[in-house]
Amino acid sequence: MSRFCGAVAAGVIFALFSPMQAFSAEPVGQATLIRTEVSGRTGPLVVRSPVHKDERIRTSSSGLGQFIFKDGTKLAVGAGSTVVIDKFVYDDSASVKRLSIKAAKGTFRWISGNSASSAYSIVTPAGTIGVRGTAFDFYVGPNGTTAIVLLNGAASFCGPGGCRQLRQQCDCVIATRGGRMTDPSQVDRRTLQTLSNPRALPFLSGDQQLSGALGGIRTSCGLASLRQDRQERPQPQQRQERPAPQAPQQAPQAPQQAPQASQQAPQQAPDTPDPPDRPDKPDKPDHHHHDWDHHGRDHHDRDHRGHDGDDDDRDRNGRHGHRSDN
């Protein structure tokens, strides 16, 4: 019975202290920058927090962590990411024989350290990135689709569909979990459309800012304007929404102007007919004016009337003179 109790006690002690013993191993690197929330196996990480082999590092939806390993290798872990330090085999104080990480999802930037290129490998759901003394960004989507963008040096990507070599700056390869893989081509806006994520490469677009050597890479591969475009797009929508409340205020003005038109109409109505000119027609009794207006022969009428008058006078005078003679 005493032996049984002793065995149980030993098992409990081993179970309680084995994680601590595993974590009491020498760290393989440490955090150099933490923003928002980044956690490791033991909880939230802060600047100078050590990281160990087999440790899983997670970032929040806005988190960012920068890490440096013992051989000088640098790793940035962007928002919403998960990565595991899979293998770390020491060589000497300045380099390692093996440094391997497994990127489950998210966005990352890698800069090789002092170890041989063959010592590094990055495993993703779609394949493995081979390092050739280089710097590159890579993204792992929720469905395992992986994109790598070369920044300096050279790299390779190998999966079920074969291998692709990236040799020129800003070369990009996209691979799926099923084995499909694109040929290397310059990264551009269409790359983000293919990945169905406009923030798949936040360190190039500027959605997340890095510091130190990780942020010292000057090229953005033409994606730096993407963030500015997204910030400017809502502005035209806001300008269109502002006049909307004024529309009901302008609508009632139409019926207010309509009565003004109707009020002006009766004021102009008396000016259209010319009835005041008709009262001038009482000039008809004037025989000369009437004849002038209708016949244009006023002078002739006067001559005719004058001629008749002279004949009458002659007849009268003649008769009168004749009578006097008798």
Side-chain angles (χ1 to χ4, degrees):
M1 183 69 180
S2 60
R3 291 180 181 179
F4 176 79
C5 293
V8 171
V12 171
I13 293 173
F14 178 81
L16 291 174
F17 289 96
S18 58
M20 296 180 62
Q21 290 177 354
F23 249 22
S24 64
E26 185 177 358
V28 298
Q30 68 176 7
T32 59
L33 182 144
I34 299 294
R35 290 179 183 164
T36 309
E37 183 178 351
V38 181
S39 61
R41 179 179 294 181
T42 58
L45 298 177
V46 297
V47 174
R48 296 184 181 178
S49 289
V51 291
H52 304 80
K53 178 179 175 295
D54 296 329
E55 184 166 9
R56 183 180 299 271
I57 299 172
R58 294 184 178 91
T59 60
S60 65
S61 59
S62 59
L64 173 64
Q66 292 184 198
F67 303 89
I68 186 170
F69 296 96
K70 279 199 166 185
D71 71 332
T73 297
K74 300 171 182 63
L75 176 68
V77 184
S81 303
T82 301
V83 63
V84 177
I85 303 172
D86 184 34
K87 295 179 180 179
F88 195 95
V89 180
Y90 288 101
D91 185 359
D92 54 40
S93 59
S95 62
V96 295
K97 291 182 178 180
R98 187 73 172 167
L99 173 55
S100 174
I101 66 172
K102 289 183 178 180
K105 66 173 183 176
T107 59
F108 308 89
R109 173 168 289 183
W110 171 282
I111 299 180
S112 297
N114 301 322
S115 302
S117 298
S118 59
Y120 303 115
S121 65
I122 294 96
V123 180
T124 74
T128 301
I129 302 172
V131 180
R132 300 292 181 266
T134 184
F136 53 85
D137 284 7
F138 63 102
Y139 165 78
V140 180
N143 60 354
T145 298
T146 301
I148 174 175
V149 179
L150 183 66
L151 302 177
N152 288 316
S156 65
F157 191 90
C158 296
C163 293
R164 300 289 187 272
Q165 303 297 322
L166 296 89
R167 297 186 176 90
Q168 297 182 1
Q169 188 178 62
C170 299
D171 271 357
C172 176
V173 170
I174 301 176
T176 65
R177 191 191 296 265
R180 289 182 297 175
M181 189 181 304
T182 65
D183 292 327
S185 62
Q186 289 286 298
V187 65
D188 56 21
R189 296 168 182 257
R190 293 172 296 180
T191 304
L192 302 180
Q193 294 175 356
T194 302
L195 298 173
S196 301
N197 185 353
R199 292 177 172 82
L201 299 169
F203 308 138
L204 293 177
S205 64
D207 287 308
Q208 286 192 301
Q209 301 292 329
L210 301 176
S211 66
L214 286 164
I217 297 176
R218 297 305 177 187
T219 182
S220 67
C221 296
L223 299 183
S225 61
L226 293 178
R227 181 170 176 266
Q228 182 177 359
D229 292 346
R230 288 195 296 270
Q231 291 177 344
E232 292 177 354
R233 285 176 188 173
Q235 294 180 0
Q237 296 178 358
Q238 293 177 358
R239 292 177 183 175
Q240 292 177 359
E241 292 174 358
R242 290 176 183 175
Q246 297 179 359
Q249 296 177 0
Q250 294 178 355
Q253 292 179 0
Q256 292 177 1
Q257 293 177 356
Q260 294 179 0
S262 61
Q263 292 176 1
Q264 291 178 357
Q267 293 176 0
Q268 294 178 355
D271 295 338
T272 51
D274 297 331
D277 294 338
R278 294 180 182 177
D280 294 338
K281 293 182 180 179
D283 293 337
K284 290 182 180 180
D286 186 354
H287 180 74
H288 297 288
H289 179 73
H290 175 74
D291 292 339
W292 180 267
D293 293 338
H294 293 276
H295 301 286
R297 297 181 300 175
D298 183 65
H299 180 70
H300 175 75
D301 292 342
R302 286 197 302 269
D303 292 343
H304 181 71
R305 288 193 298 269
H307 178 73
D308 292 342
D310 292 342
D311 292 341
D312 293 340
D313 291 341
R314 287 193 199 98
D315 292 341
R316 291 172 184 172
N317 291 333
R319 293 189 190 99
H320 178 73
H322 178 72
R323 287 176 183 175
S324 64
D325 290 340
N326 291 336

